[in-house]
Amino acid sequence: MLYLLLTVICSVLLGFIFKLFSKFGIDSFQAIVFNYVTCVCCGAIHLGHSPLQTANADKPWFPYALMLGFVFISGFTTAAMTVKYFGVTISQIMQKMSILMTVPFAILVYQESSGFGKIMGFILAVAAIILVNWPSGTQNGDNHGLKVRSLIWIPLVTWFLSGIIEVTFVKVQKEGIIDSGDPTFICNVFGTAAIIGLCVATYGWIRGTRIFAWKNVVGGIILGIPNYGSMLFMLLALGNGLEGSFVFAVANVGIIIATTFGAVTLFKEKLSFINWVGIAVAVLAIALISGVLLS
């Protein structure tokens, strides 16, 4: 359970750091790129050597690392956009409702436990996704409400990519493709994302469509440390004998509660009554899926 707690803490920090980017004028994409470079450096310090080696190309997990690298940088970018247009709370809710993909996958493919609670949880989770994304036209003005409606695809893509990431982690852990205690796999995921991001960023710097600034590097370093921790502790929790359907569900409900409390108290985010109902339903859904209420 310690690894679950650490996963929650690191994940909550990510959402709050994203929120601060706009305040300090930090380019989210460039910060995300340097965040992945930082993650690789954290892995090198952890391992005591470079985790990016040509010999890794022969590892059974290498194709998954390459695929996840693309998904990671795409998912982090849409998550940052979700924070910008919808707020920290909605962004975290959408990412954590990825259990709609993860839990069925773990149950159907790897025969993890299922029951009435999980079925009811899925039904409530679908309702929660609709409610937490229901924009209020009067909350910040009718024009803002219309703009948010046109951008509804952003949190939906965030949800989908988060689900792909979690499903892949369940697969490689369940099938023994990776050693959960060895960060080499996630470091190669981060490395792939960093290389892709640096190529895109360099193209922007050359074309003049992006402006390099050291504050983006600093923002990336600050983001990268808890990002590395969130992935490492999540893998350690999975490798501790806990079911994936339990790990992701329990961690996600903790993240939702902590993020909501922090966003409202620290950043004064305004949520509509429908949004609050959606958050409550999301917490109930995840609690049912994890078996917390019916255990």
Side-chain angles (χ1 to χ4, degrees):
M1 293 301 288
L2 174 62
Y3 293 135
L4 279 177
L5 177 61
L6 293 173
T7 299
V8 170
I9 293 173
C10 290
S11 298
V12 170
L13 285 175
L14 294 179
F16 292 162
I17 293 170
F18 273 136
K19 185 71 173 180
L20 293 172
F21 280 176
S22 59
K23 179 179 180 180
F24 293 98
I26 294 175
D27 179 10
S28 294
F29 180 78
Q30 292 187 55
I32 288 170
V33 172
F34 292 116
N35 138 81
Y36 286 127
V37 175
T38 301
C39 288
V40 174
C41 292
C42 288
I45 295 173
H46 185 181
L47 288 168
H49 60 80
S50 174
L52 306 181
Q53 301 178 6
T54 55
N56 291 334
D58 296 326
K59 302 291 185 181
W61 48 256
F62 190 70
Y64 295 98
L66 293 180
M67 182 272 289
L68 282 178
F70 282 94
V71 178
F72 261 49
I73 193 164
S74 301
F76 237 41
T77 301
T78 57
M81 293 171 66
T82 304
V83 170
K84 178 179 180 180
Y85 293 112
F86 294 82
V88 177
T89 304
I90 303 303
S91 176
Q92 288 285 31
I93 286 280
M94 291 306 295
Q95 291 179 71
K96 302 315 163 189
M97 291 309 290
S98 56
I99 57 169
L100 285 174
M101 296 173 61
T102 311
V103 175
F105 179 78
I107 293 173
L108 296 175
V109 178
Y110 298 107
Q111 289 75 53
E112 289 194 358
S113 60
S114 62
F116 175 76
K118 286 186 177 179
I119 295 174
M120 289 301 300
F122 288 127
I123 295 173
L124 291 176
V126 173
I129 287 178
I130 297 173
L131 293 173
V132 297
N133 285 285
W134 195 276
S136 173
T138 58
Q139 183 177 327
N140 294 308
D142 290 336
N143 290 335
H144 177 79
L146 291 173
K147 182 179 181 181
V148 168
R149 289 185 180 90
S150 68
L151 297 174
I152 195 69
W153 63 270
I154 297 175
L156 292 177
V157 171
T158 299
W159 165 75
F160 177 75
L161 293 178
S162 297
I164 293 296
I165 291 171
E166 292 185 0
V167 163
T168 305
F169 274 122
V170 169
K171 177 179 175 61
V172 296
Q173 191 275 329
K174 285 287 186 181
E175 298 183 7
I177 297 175
I178 63 170
D179 177 358
S180 299
D182 184 355
T184 303
F185 170 68
I186 59 171
C187 286
N188 278 262
V189 174
F190 291 136
T192 301
I195 292 171
I196 296 169
L198 284 172
C199 290
V200 175
T202 301
Y203 179 77
W205 294 329
I206 294 174
R207 291 289 302 274
T209 56
R210 295 187 184 276
I211 306 300
F212 176 84
W214 284 106
K215 63 182 178 181
N216 297 328
V217 178
V218 174
I221 294 172
I222 295 173
L223 184 69
I225 295 172
N227 189 24
Y228 178 78
S230 68
M231 291 293 103
L232 176 64
F233 295 132
M234 184 267 292
L235 280 179
L236 289 174
L238 287 172
N240 237 18
L242 297 175
E243 291 186 336
S245 56
F246 176 85
V247 169
F248 288 111
V250 173
N252 290 355
V253 71
I255 291 168
I256 289 173
I257 293 172
T259 298
T260 302
F261 177 79
V264 173
T265 57
L266 299 178
F267 299 105
K268 310 302 180 184
E269 285 194 359
K270 303 293 184 180
L271 299 178
S272 69
F273 175 74
I274 294 179
N275 294 150
W276 278 110
V277 172
I279 291 170
V281 172
V283 171
L284 177 60
I286 296 175
L288 283 169
I289 292 171
S290 66
V292 171
L293 293 183
L294 299 178
S295 58

